[in-house]
Amino acid sequence: MNHQLLREIPKVDELLRSSTLGRFCGEMPRVLLAEAVRGELDALRRDILAGAADALPGEEALCRSIARRAKRLMQPSLRPVINATGVVLHTNLGRALMSERSAKAVQQVAMGYSTLEYDIEKGQRGERYSHVEGLLTRLTGAESAFVVNNNAAAVLIILSALTAGGEVITSRGELVEIGGSFRVPDIMESCGAKLREVGTTNKTHLSDYAGAICADTKALMKVHTSNFRIVGFTESVAREEMVALAHAHGLIAIEDLGSGSLYDLNRFGLRDEPTVQDSVRSGMDVISFSGDKLLGGPQAGIIIGKKEYIDILKHHPLTRAMRVDKMTLAALEATLMSYAEGGAAEDIPTLRMLGTPEETLRARAERLVSLLAEKGVQAETVPVEDQVGGGSVPMQLLPSYAAAVCPESCSADALETALRLGDTAVIGRIDHGRYLLHVRTILDADLPLVAAAVKEALR
Ligand SMILES: *Cc1c(COP(=O)(O)O)cnc(C)c1O
């Protein structure tokens, strides 16, 4: 029985010549079409062998499946999705969204020549990092600044250039793993520095640092515990005290700030996230943070601090291997301009999303529910909790709203899959058998698209 069916599967060449397939995919490149035909026929063969098919599909149905497969092959792998998870800095979905101003700056610099390493006033070679250094020092109060590819690279170069061959003292409560196997102890080792852990997981005192200082000590390092919190009976040492101790012994005070907010998040009701300015004011010598977490700019590692140390970093051989390209600099300069002009909360999508008032979110969820109703899809507005994400402010959830769909014709899992694989890919959440579309991270202009995608997915 199976063998008979297998013999009846059409040949690849026959299908490629067939007018039915031509009707469905006339304009598709032949190489892709051939791959789609082979893929579809292989799948069919597997189904028959597994006993999952007891008849061949008609020519029309087969060609339709091939066309769908070919269309998927033509889609770019890196493509836009709609984030309906309510996680603002979603690392898997691209972290911070760039502002319109940043995206425009990138486009201009990408498509034309620029002053990347050209001093236009003197008419001679200029400095790549000069475009953002002035803005960074003005905004943070630091003496000097420069930028590498991401914050992981920033930490690597700081430790390599300033502490190799010596010891770095860090609190046990701050030995974090950020994800993607970036662990503070391992990084130190690979930079040629020896980690001296002090204190306990929940408590570290100034005397712990002081007691560990020896002839080999090069630096005291504070690491922001971005993605976790130790709560309860805890104690850590204030930045100012750490800095005073370091300087009394001729040591460098380093801080890996992680998220690195320039904006006071208390204004959004988010507590305990230090600003970059706080760290600079405390007297830290070298500070690093990400460009695409709470700053809301492009992927970058921003390093600020005392000129004598930043100069050493700028001239270290690793710097050349970690240098940022013109698109990053264009986006970062535009992002920083928004802060400098006082318009960051309006311009920067990350801050806009974190600061959206609850009434606005409820109204947006209600609008989505009514757009869905117009398409014949039943949904209701429900209160939910959103997250900052990106390993920032892990303990505090943001009160928000979602449109909840309880599909009658299929499971929430099936709806999730269909939405993820649809023409407009939508990534939402499943909760107690309901499919939730968190509206904080959906742009207003995308609401009709989301409603249409749900309707299509349920079809
Ligand atoms: C996120 C983070 C990093 C890594 O930053 P990237 O920009 O993702 O490379 C390093 N240290 C801390 C504390 C972080 O939170």
Side-chain angles (χ1 to χ4, degrees):
M1 182 63 184
N2 274 350
H3 292 288
Q4 182 60 29
L5 268 186
L6 286 173
R7 270 194 298 278
E8 284 172 13
I9 291 179
K11 300 271 174 301
V12 175
D13 285 342
E14 272 168 36
L15 269 169
L16 284 173
R17 279 194 305 270
S18 99
S19 58
T20 316
L21 191 64
R23 198 149 43 76
F24 282 117
C25 357
E27 73 293 358
M28 284 185 191
R30 194 168 159 92
V31 208
L32 277 184
L33 203 52
E35 191 177 327
V37 169
R38 260 183 237 113
E40 197 59 31
L41 296 184
D42 283 347
L44 191 56
R45 209 166 285 125
R46 274 196 303 273
D47 280 352
I48 294 170
L49 287 171
D54 47 16
L56 290 182
E59 191 182 8
E60 183 96 6
L62 183 60
C63 290
R64 205 189 297 276
S65 302
I66 292 169
R68 262 202 302 272
R69 192 178 279 263
K71 211 167 124 200
R72 277 207 299 277
L73 287 175
M74 298 222 319
Q75 272 189 329
S77 169
L78 179 59
R79 57 180 191 268
V81 301
I82 290 176
N83 175 7
T85 65
V87 181
V88 176
L89 295 168
H90 198 303
T91 301
N92 301 145
L93 303 183
R95 266 205 205 159
L97 302 199
M98 242 179 235
S99 67
E100 202 167 314
R101 179 177 188 166
S102 291
K104 283 201 179 118
V106 170
Q107 190 183 16
Q108 278 192 330
V109 155
M111 298 181 71
Y113 295 103
S114 63
T115 54
L116 182 61
E117 289 186 358
Y118 188 71
D119 184 330
I120 208 150
E121 297 200 338
K122 300 199 180 114
Q124 63 193 35
R125 192 178 195 288
E127 234 262 286
R128 173 178 293 252
Y129 302 103
S130 65
H131 308 291
V132 292
E133 177 161 5
L135 275 166
L136 281 169
T137 52
R138 243 176 285 146
L139 284 167
T140 63
E143 279 177 15
S144 184
F146 96 119
V147 181
V148 292
N149 247 317
N150 53 31
N151 189 31
V155 173
L156 206 67
I157 189 162
I158 290 168
L159 292 174
S160 301
L162 302 176
T163 71
E167 290 189 3
V168 180
I169 304 176
T170 302
S171 161
R172 280 205 172 84
E174 298 175 357
L175 297 175
V176 302
E177 170 175 324
I178 285 122
S181 70
F182 184 92
R183 294 175 153 187
V184 169
D186 302 346
I187 295 296
M188 277 194 197
E189 196 184 316
S190 74
C191 295
K194 191 155 172 281
L195 168 68
R196 250 324 258 285
E197 303 171 30
V198 293
T200 58
T201 306
N202 58 331
K203 283 206 171 200
T204 303
H205 307 278
L206 191 64
S207 56
D208 294 325
Y209 287 97
I213 294 175
C214 66
D216 288 338
T217 310
K218 292 260 175 103
L220 306 188
M221 182 171 187
K222 186 168 182 61
V223 182
H224 185 39
T225 58
S226 312
N227 45 11
F228 71 98
R229 289 286 181 274
I230 295 167
V231 296
F233 188 58
T234 66
E235 190 169 328
S236 62
V237 175
R239 288 186 181 77
E240 287 76 6
E241 288 181 290
M242 237 181 103
V243 168
L245 179 67
H247 292 174
H249 290 83
L251 307 172
I252 313 172
I254 299 171
E255 179 162 22
D256 171 7
L257 253 183
S259 320
S261 183
L262 286 183
Y263 192 84
D264 184 359
L265 296 179
N266 281 303
R267 281 182 246 182
F268 303 150
L270 291 167
R271 294 169 312 280
D272 303 333
E273 181 64 29
T275 62
V276 176
Q277 296 89 321
D278 289 336
S279 178
V280 173
R281 260 195 303 273
S282 75
M284 283 284 170
D285 297 306
V286 184
I287 301 159
S288 74
F289 55 98
S290 284
D292 60 344
K293 288 186 180 169
L294 289 170
L295 188 73
Q299 178 189 304
I302 297 164
I303 308 178
I304 57 173
K306 308 271 161 69
K307 189 173 181 311
E308 59 172 310
Y309 299 116
I310 303 291
D311 280 348
I312 296 173
L313 301 182
K314 280 181 178 167
H315 296 106
H316 192 275
L318 267 179
T319 298
R320 178 61 179 79
M322 297 173 177
R323 83 173 185 192
V324 284
D325 76 334
K326 58 192 174 189
M327 293 187 281
T328 302
L329 284 168
L332 186 58
E333 183 176 24
T335 304
L336 296 171
M337 295 271 253
S338 287
Y339 283 96
E341 290 167 9
E346 292 81 46
D347 288 358
I348 312 268
T350 301
L351 297 182
R352 255 195 336 249
M353 286 180 187
L354 292 176
T356 312
E358 260 180 82
E359 315 87 76
T360 309
L361 293 165
R362 183 205 268 274
R364 192 183 295 162
E366 279 167 358
R367 170 141 183 263
L368 181 53
V369 166
S370 66
L371 286 167
L372 285 163
E374 282 169 28
K375 304 253 172 214
V377 179
Q378 264 213 349
E380 59 173 331
T381 302
V382 296
V384 290
E385 288 178 314
D386 291 337
Q387 294 171 51
V388 178
S392 312
V393 206
M395 300 292 279
Q396 294 174 59
L397 299 171
L398 303 155
S400 182
Y401 289 91
V405 184
C406 287
E408 284 164 10
S409 53
C410 65
S411 67
D413 282 320
L415 176 59
E416 189 274 336
T417 309
L419 274 169
R420 184 156 43 79
L421 299 178
D423 283 339
T424 306
V426 178
I427 316 292
R429 290 187 51 239
I430 294 175
D431 180 59
H432 292 93
R434 300 177 306 180
Y435 184 82
L436 299 184
L437 295 149
H438 288 237
V439 294
R440 184 186 298 273
T441 46
I442 305 177
L443 309 178
D444 271 318
D446 285 343
L447 291 175
L449 273 177
V450 173
V454 174
K455 159 102 180 149
E456 176 66 22
L458 288 171
R459 206 160 57 83

